[in-house]
Amino acid sequence: MPIPRWITPVNRRVTNRVLGPLAVRMPPLAVIHHVGRRSGSQRATPVMAFRTARGVVIALTYGPDVDWLRNVLAAGRARLVQGGRTTALVAPVLLHGAAGARLMPWWVRVALRTLRVDDYVELAAAPKRPARGDRESG
């Protein structure tokens, strides 16, 4: 696990509250919105997300044993706000090693290799539903 677990409470109380409002407007920072699997409450976690052919990939800098990821895996869906746009995400897939790293930009791969980050999650962009007036008649 590249980032020590003792940093988690500091991030929740300080870093996430500072970065959260900035993250929704400054890619690659983003905020992933998910539902607590036990509480059912709405949660928001700042992350660094990068676009892929399927949707987005997120490096798991704390490893795969984090609450937000468990919530997303349990629900099978989440929403991502990045650059002022919201994307519905579905079908999370855990990736390890080169399978996840190759989805990241080269400059991010270098940093993640230095931090010994080896776990990723890729989420597919949910198909867009047609607007009410856009449905074909017939």
Side-chain angles (χ1 to χ4, degrees):
M1 197 174 324
I3 296 178
R5 294 295 291 195
W6 63 264
I7 293 178
T8 302
V10 174
N11 277 343
R12 281 189 180 148
R13 290 189 187 105
V14 180
T15 311
N16 289 357
R17 290 182 182 181
V18 172
L19 282 182
L22 298 174
V24 297
R25 300 234 183 272
M26 296 176 54
L29 293 176
V31 174
I32 191 159
H33 294 267
H34 50 97
V35 177
R37 63 195 177 285
R38 291 188 201 132
S39 67
S41 61
Q42 297 289 324
R43 309 279 181 175
T45 304
V47 295
M48 288 183 72
F50 298 89
R51 299 282 170 193
T52 67
R54 281 184 71 225
V56 298
V57 64
I58 299 168
L60 302 174
T61 54
Y62 288 96
D65 190 33
V66 290
D67 285 333
W68 74 262
L69 180 60
R70 281 187 247 153
N71 291 342
V72 170
L73 292 172
R77 61 188 168 93
R79 282 184 304 111
L80 186 85
V81 181
Q82 186 177 48
R85 293 185 307 168
T86 301
T87 305
L89 301 171
V90 295
V93 176
L94 289 175
L95 302 169
H96 184 76
R102 75 169 188 265
L103 298 174
M104 304 299 261
W106 71 268
W107 56 275
V108 176
R109 282 195 304 267
V110 171
L112 294 174
R113 195 174 314 125
T114 302
L115 293 171
R116 297 188 177 140
V117 172
D118 216 20
D119 294 298
Y120 308 83
V121 63
E122 186 182 24
L123 297 111
K128 295 186 192 266
R129 290 188 230 159
R132 286 184 171 240
D134 291 347
R135 292 190 183 139
E136 292 181 23
S137 59

